[in-house]
Amino acid sequence: MEYVLLAMKLIVSLSILNVWLIQYNKPTRWRGGNAKTIVQEFHVYGLPTWFCYLIGMLKIGLAILLLLSIWYPELAQPSALGLSVLLIGSIIMHLKIKDPLYKSLPAFVFLSLSLIIAFYPF
């Protein structure tokens, strides 16, 4: 199970870092509404640009902490729970604008993995 947990941490953290650092200004099929960038996606949700940057900093920071939890297990639960809260927000925003359900799928998958990581018995 240790390798499965390691894989889950890598999948969640690297995927979030990919979205916020590499795919930031690129269109993907998962963006809310017809947004081409993350900032546009936040505008589609009716949220200001500064909020996008705040959420981005939180997600990047928590993803890095989740990566560090590979070596410092005590970081796993707080970082995974923090990401879970933000991912619930992502799902709510997709539902708010009546996106097709498939656009919420990545957030739902990462939420599920984050909750498993957070509550895995150490």
Side-chain angles (χ1 to χ4, degrees), residues 16-82:
I16 288 174
L17 290 172
N18 174 55
V19 168
W20 283 91
L21 298 175
I22 297 171
Q23 302 296 325
Y24 185 78
N25 283 318
K26 297 178 183 174
T28 73
R29 65 185 295 207
W30 313 108
R31 296 237 185 268
N34 294 318
K36 303 268 188 258
T37 69
I38 288 182
V39 172
Q40 289 176 4
E41 185 173 13
F42 273 69
H43 292 166
V44 167
Y45 298 144
L47 301 169
T49 302
W50 67 265
F51 195 70
C52 175
Y53 294 127
L54 174 65
I55 296 298
M57 288 187 317
L58 290 171
K59 283 192 175 182
I60 290 167
L62 290 167
I64 290 169
L65 288 175
L66 189 60
L67 268 179
L68 288 173
S69 77
I70 293 169
W71 298 279
Y72 304 99
E74 63 275 9
L75 296 174
Q77 189 172 47
S79 59
L81 287 175

Side-chain angles (χ1 to χ4, degrees), residues 1-18 59 62-81 83 87 109-110 112-122:
M1 185 64 178
E2 194 172 320
Y3 290 112
V4 173
L5 188 62
L6 173 65
M8 288 190 282
K9 288 178 180 182
L10 289 171
I11 289 166
V12 172
S13 58
L14 295 176
S15 295
I16 288 174
L17 290 172
N18 174 55
K59 283 192 175 182
L62 290 167
I64 290 169
L65 288 175
L66 189 60
L67 268 179
L68 288 173
S69 77
I70 293 169
W71 298 279
Y72 304 99
E74 63 275 9
L75 296 174
Q77 189 172 47
S79 59
L81 287 175
L83 285 171
L87 290 163
V109 169
F110 299 142
S112 300
L113 293 174
S114 293
L115 290 172
I116 291 168
I117 292 165
F119 294 110
Y120 177 77
F122 292 102

